[in-house]
């Protein structure tokens, strides 16, 4: 009628994960009393204490200083964990870590071993103080990285399988134990790859080119895009400067618009190449995302992978005939679009802008500050004083101010400095 506790740690000198590996309900045991706690009425029992301590035999068989690393033993897989497998070597257990199972990449020990499997195993290290034995399986196989540089010389085309994907690239298994890295920058000549998973997937077979081999660090650099010709090399031949093409606006920035020339290849229309006549503040004033536009190739920089495009160059420069359109002495209406410290800029229509110096704002010449006379959207009637096609400038003089005017803004218009106005 008196019970005692046989703790799992006192059942075997080796490693067990559950008491059922050693005992079953109803089994009769020869057992050893380890301790009796009279106050708590507890009895501690032991089973392993009836058997010789196995590490004593190990210590006698391999005295301190004996070379045991490298010995090959036979054992049975006793237990499997996420980080390795415990091997019964005949009364004592050794750990076969997952990193010592295969030269190749494995995600779980169960891919290599199963409980009850008999293995030939190599002793890597014995820790006498902690009573631990480290074992290796891959060490019984030849080292795969030996002479790998001769096997995979730089420039060789290879086939492999994607075994891992990270933020910076994909690892490709060329053979068991040999993996190479395709960096994200080596995946495509034209696509802006944000993550390798957009290009490859686990288990996919790919072709690549060997870029670099480092046997010491066990690293191989691979390139996927090198299996194809770099399109940027032939672009200057395909699109000589001056070529007129049609493309779709893919993106707008503050300094210009990107237009797709070919799938994955964009060119930039700089804001200064959008209009012959209009001072463009933002690309959205001229084009919108998704627009199909005619552009002209201005320059192709293959080394830096940049294409300069011109939108205005696809049309005739109106300044070549501006003198015919606006001869000196012509009177015409216009609207104030910007106030400058030395005058005002006016819109003459057809994206043509002119400049009225402060001295020409009124016939009397009494205005010294443009903000005292004009405001943005104000209507004026002016006379052409000078046409300069080279510097793209039309100088005007105010002859009259129409009575009907749009309402004057509550806040005064911003006065731009002369340096803000190109060509004025």
């Amino acid at each position: 009628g008196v019970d005692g506790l046989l703790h799992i740690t006192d059942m075997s000198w080796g490693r067990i994960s559950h008491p059922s590996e050693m005992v079953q309900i109803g089994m009769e045991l020869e057992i050893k009393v380890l301790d009796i706690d009279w106050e708590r009425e507890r009895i501690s029992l032991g089973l392993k204490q009836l058997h010789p301590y196995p590490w004593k035999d190990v210590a006698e068989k391999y005295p301190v200083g004996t070379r045991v690393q490298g010995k090959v033993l036979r054992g049975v897989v006793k237990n499997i964990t996420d980080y390795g497998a415990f091997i019964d070597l005949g009364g004592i257990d050794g750990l076969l870590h997952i990193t010592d199972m295969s030269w190749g990449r494995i995600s779980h020990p169960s891919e290599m071993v199963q409980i009850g499997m008999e293995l030939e195993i190599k002793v890597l290290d014995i820790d006498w103080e902690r009573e631990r034995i480290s074992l290796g399986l891959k060490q019984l196989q030849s080292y795969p990285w030996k002479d790998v540089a001769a096997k995979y010389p730089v420039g060789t085309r290879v086939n492999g399988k994607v075994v891992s994907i990270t933020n910076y690239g994909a690892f490709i298994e060329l053979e068991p134990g040999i993996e190479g890295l395709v960096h994200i920058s080596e995946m495509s000549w034209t696509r802006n790859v944000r993550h390798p998973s957009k290009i490859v997937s686990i288990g996919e077979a790919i072709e690549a080119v060997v870029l670099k081999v480092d046997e010491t660090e066990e690293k191989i650099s691979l390139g996927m895009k090198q299996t194809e010709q770099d399109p940027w090399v032939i672009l200057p031949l395909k699109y000589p400067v001056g070529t007129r093409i049609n493309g779709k606006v893919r993106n707008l920035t503050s300094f210009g618009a990107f237009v797709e020339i070919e799938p994955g290849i964009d060119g930039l229309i700089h804001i200064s190449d959008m209009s012959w006549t209009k001072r463009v503040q933002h690309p959205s004033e001229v084009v919108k995302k998704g627009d199909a536009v005619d552009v002209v190739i201005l320059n192709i920089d293959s080394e830096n992978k940049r294409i300069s495009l011109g939108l205005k160059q696809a049309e005739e420069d109106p300044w070549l005939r501006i003198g015919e359109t606006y001869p000196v002495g012509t009177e015409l209406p216009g609207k104030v679009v910007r106030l400058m410290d030395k005058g005002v800029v006016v819109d003459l229509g057809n994206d043509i802008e002119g400049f009225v110096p402060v001295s020409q704002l009124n016939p009397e010449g009494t205005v010294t500050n443009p903000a005292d006379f004009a405001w943005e959207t104000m209507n004026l009637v002016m006379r052409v004083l000078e046409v300069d096609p080279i510097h793209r400038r039309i100088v005007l003089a105010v002859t009259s101010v129409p009575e009907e005017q749009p309402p004057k803004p509550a806040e005064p218009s911003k006065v731009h400095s002369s340096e803000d106005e190109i060509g004025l």
Side-chain angles (χ1 to χ4, degrees), residues 239-349:
Y239 302 106
V241 172
T243 303
R244 185 188 181 105
I245 57 175
N246 184 271
K248 181 185 286 187
V249 178
R250 288 176 53 85
N251 193 27
L252 300 180
T253 69
S254 60
F255 54 84
F258 286 94
V259 176
E260 185 179 56
I261 306 303
E262 291 184 357
I265 298 180
D266 294 344
L268 173 66
I269 308 173
H270 192 268
I271 195 170
S272 62
D273 289 310
M274 289 191 163
S275 174
W276 289 113
T277 56
K278 186 178 179 181
R279 185 174 185 270
V280 182
Q281 304 283 346
H282 192 274
S284 60
E285 299 173 17
V286 181
V287 295
K288 294 180 175 57
K289 189 174 180 180
D291 284 354
V293 294
D294 288 330
V295 292
V296 172
I297 302 291
L298 302 181
N299 182 55
I300 297 181
D301 184 348
S302 298
E303 185 176 347
N304 294 307
K305 294 180 170 50
R306 292 175 181 171
I307 300 177
S308 298
L309 303 174
L311 183 65
K312 68 184 184 182
Q313 288 81 356
E315 300 175 350
E316 184 183 15
D317 184 356
W319 284 96
L320 298 176
R321 299 183 180 179
I322 202 76
E324 300 174 7
T325 308
Y326 300 100
V328 173
T330 303
E331 282 206 1
L332 69 169
K335 181 181 293 187
V336 177
V337 290
R338 283 185 302 283
L339 302 186
M340 311 296 295
D341 53 4
K342 295 182 179 180
V344 299
V345 179
V346 293
D347 180 10
L348 303 178

Side-chain angles (χ1 to χ4, degrees), residues 138-157:
K138 71 180 185 183
Q139 285 79 4
L140 295 176
Q141 304 165 359
S142 59
Y143 179 55
W145 283 86
K146 184 179 180 182
D147 300 326
V148 74
K151 191 173 183 180
Y152 298 105
V154 172
T156 304
R157 285 201 176 208

Side-chain angles (χ1 to χ4, degrees), residues 193-419:
V193 184
R194 298 194 176 187
H195 195 275
S197 60
K198 302 292 183 181
I199 301 290
V200 297
S201 55
I202 298 292
E204 181 181 350
I206 69 159
E207 185 180 25
V209 172
V210 177
L211 304 180
K212 184 181 178 182
V213 178
D214 188 337
E215 289 185 2
T216 305
E217 296 292 328
E218 296 185 356
K219 292 179 180 179
I220 296 180
S221 298
L222 302 173
M224 288 173 60
K225 67 184 184 182
Q226 286 77 5
T227 60
E228 302 173 351
Q229 185 180 32
D230 183 356
W232 285 91
V233 175
I234 61 173
L235 276 175
L237 301 176
K238 193 173 181 181
Y239 302 106
V241 172
T243 303
R244 185 188 181 105
I245 57 175
N246 184 271
K248 181 185 286 187
V249 178
R250 288 176 53 85
N251 193 27
L252 300 180
T253 69
S254 60
F255 54 84
F258 286 94
V259 176
E260 185 179 56
I261 306 303
E262 291 184 357
I265 298 180
D266 294 344
L268 173 66
I269 308 173
H270 192 268
I271 195 170
S272 62
D273 289 310
M274 289 191 163
S275 174
W276 289 113
T277 56
K278 186 178 179 181
R279 185 174 185 270
V280 182
Q281 304 283 346
H282 192 274
S284 60
E285 299 173 17
V286 181
V287 295
K288 294 180 175 57
K289 189 174 180 180
D291 284 354
V293 294
D294 288 330
V295 292
V296 172
I297 302 291
L298 302 181
N299 182 55
I300 297 181
D301 184 348
S302 298
E303 185 176 347
N304 294 307
K305 294 180 170 50
R306 292 175 181 171
I307 300 177
S308 298
L309 303 174
L311 183 65
K312 68 184 184 182
Q313 288 81 356
E315 300 175 350
E316 184 183 15
D317 184 356
W319 284 96
L320 298 176
R321 299 183 180 179
I322 202 76
E324 300 174 7
T325 308
Y326 300 100
V328 173
T330 303
E331 282 206 1
L332 69 169
K335 181 181 293 187
V336 177
V337 290
R338 283 185 302 283
L339 302 186
M340 311 296 295
D341 53 4
K342 295 182 179 180
V344 299
V345 179
V346 293
D347 180 10
L348 303 178
N350 300 318
D351 290 335
I352 301 291
E353 291 183 348
F355 182 66
V356 181
V358 64
S359 61
Q360 300 296 328
L361 284 175
N362 68 338
E364 295 79 15
T366 56
V367 178
T368 57
N369 182 7
D372 295 337
F373 174 83
W375 66 89
E376 291 179 7
T377 72
M378 181 183 186
N379 294 319
L380 298 172
V381 177
M382 298 154 291
R383 183 177 67 256
V384 177
L385 297 180
E386 179 189 351
V387 177
D388 186 351
I390 296 176
H391 297 97
R392 301 181 185 278
R393 181 171 61 181
I394 298 178
V395 181
L396 305 159
V398 175
T399 57
S400 63
V401 178
E403 292 184 4
E404 293 186 8
Q405 295 288 346
K408 191 174 183 179
E411 295 183 5
S413 301
K414 177 184 176 182
V415 177
H416 300 262
S417 66
S418 296
E419 290 76 8

